[in-house]
Amino acid sequence: QVQLVESGGGLVQAGGSLRLSCAASGSIFSINGMGWYRQAPGKQRELVAKITSGGSTNYGDSVKGRFTISRDNAKNMVYLQMNSLKPEDTAVYYCNAYTVRSPLPNKNYWGQGTQVTVSS
């Protein structure tokens, strides 16, 4: 099992910045990739950004050019630097880790979530 703990959420004005952190523990050797998802009220959970163990990144269209994901393998941490925040970025942000088990579906692990609120 993998445990994920997020930190760094909060309230910020539009145009501001926040940095989210996620600490992984447990069976971290099994993790192939980590990332961030978010869910706003009344909406489905969506990908924000993800990064593989090799460092390849992928971003949701709405955050490209504003958010940056990074990973510190030595510390078992993943970070999300969020710049130029917009009110529509308001959501609960969840840290995710996954294990590839092809041909079976990936095994996903989730943190408890951290609230990000952007005021206009």
Side-chain angles (χ1 to χ4, degrees), residues 6 8 27 34 47 53-54 59 63 68 70 72 84:
E6 303 104 332
S27 302
M34 297 184 71
L47 170 70
S53 56
Y59 293 90
V63 307
T68 302
S70 60
D72 186 333
S84 302

Side-chain angles (χ1 to χ4, degrees), residues 43-97:
K43 295 187 177 181
Q44 289 188 332
R45 189 172 296 190
E46 64 174 359
L47 170 70
V48 177
K50 60 183 180 181
I51 184 168
T52 68
S53 56
S56 297
T57 58
N58 188 28
Y59 293 90
D61 288 341
S62 62
V63 307
K64 285 180 181 177
R66 300 188 297 123
F67 291 10
T68 302
I69 190 170
S70 60
R71 184 172 176 176
D72 186 333
N73 291 328
K75 296 182 178 180
N76 303 317
M77 298 286 294
V78 66
Y79 306 97
L80 184 69
Q81 179 65 44
M82 305 185 292
N83 298 328
S84 302
L85 282 160
K86 305 175 181 180
E88 50 264 43
D89 294 318
T90 296
V92 178
Y93 284 69
Y94 296 92
C95 181
N96 167 265

